[in-house]
């Protein structure tokens, strides 16, 4: 036998796009909801890549809202929670979370690269957003006299997403992209069996 999985974005659940999530849910064995890139390199403000909560407050949309919409049109066991192993870095006009981005400065930051930044940058320390369940780093770049902000998932984020997937009775978790992981971001998955 074979298994058919269809990938959709969180936006596919909000407005009509090229894919019909309800139809996909009726024919596919699994639908992987790519619940990431809520903020991305082209965003106007910084923010969590895959915020678990905070829609309408700290993010326009979040993982919880996307999964609620998916569960309204397909059985929860068919839904796979897509989770990122990367974050984004931007140069910003300020040093507060969700500051305005200097256009064209957004780049992808793998979890392993972020661990390296935390090891090598003497002025950098991570903070954790308890609503988004995602970490961030804000530091001043003395060479360009700008601020840098990185938002990214880590071990705590993966633990929160794992608990969420269990609570929501989802069919599993999918990761993007293997090779981006750092030392411990995948550790919470060891106890997650699906």
């Amino acid at each position: 036998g074979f298994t058919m999985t269809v990938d959709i974005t969180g936006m596919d659940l909000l407005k009509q796009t090229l894919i019909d999530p309800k139809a996909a849910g009726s024919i596919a064995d699994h639908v992987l909801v790519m619940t990431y890139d809520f903020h991305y390199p082209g965003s106007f403000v910084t923010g969590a890549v895959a915020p678990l909560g905070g829609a309408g407050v700290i993010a326009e949309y979040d993982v919880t809202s996307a999964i609620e919409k998916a569960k309204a049109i397909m059985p929860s066991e068919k839904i796979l929670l897509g989770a990122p192993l990367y974050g984004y870095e931007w140069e910003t006009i300020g040093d507060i979370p969700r500051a305005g981005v200097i256009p064209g400065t957004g780049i992808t930051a793998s979890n392993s690269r972020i661990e390296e930044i935390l090891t090598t940058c003497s002025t950098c320390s991570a903070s954790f957003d308890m609503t988004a369940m995602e970490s961030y780093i804000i530091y001043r770049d003395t060479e360009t006299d700008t601020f840098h902000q990185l938002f990214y998932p880590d071990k705590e984020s993966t633990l929160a997403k794992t608990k969420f997937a269990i609570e929501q009775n989802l069919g599993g978790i999918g990761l993007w992209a293997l090779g981006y992981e750092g030392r411990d971001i995948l550790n919470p998955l060891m106890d997650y069996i699906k």
Side-chain angles (χ1 to χ4, degrees), residues 37-117:
D37 284 0
F38 292 98
H39 287 95
Y40 57 95
S43 292
F44 295 111
V45 296
T46 67
V49 176
L52 189 57
V57 180
I58 62 163
E60 295 81 357
Y61 193 37
D62 63 22
V63 172
T64 301
S65 300
I67 295 302
E68 284 174 4
K69 290 188 178 308
K71 286 175 64 174
I73 60 172
M74 67 186 78
S76 61
E77 305 82 31
K78 281 193 171 196
I79 301 168
L80 304 179
L81 178 68
L85 298 176
Y86 63 89
Y88 290 115
E89 177 178 359
W90 301 268
E91 286 184 56
T92 65
I93 60 173
D95 63 350
I96 59 166
R98 292 169 285 286
V101 169
I102 297 173
T105 63
I107 60 170
T108 301
S110 69
N111 187 257
S112 58
R113 179 170 171 270
I114 291 163
E115 286 179 356
E116 182 182 321
I117 289 170

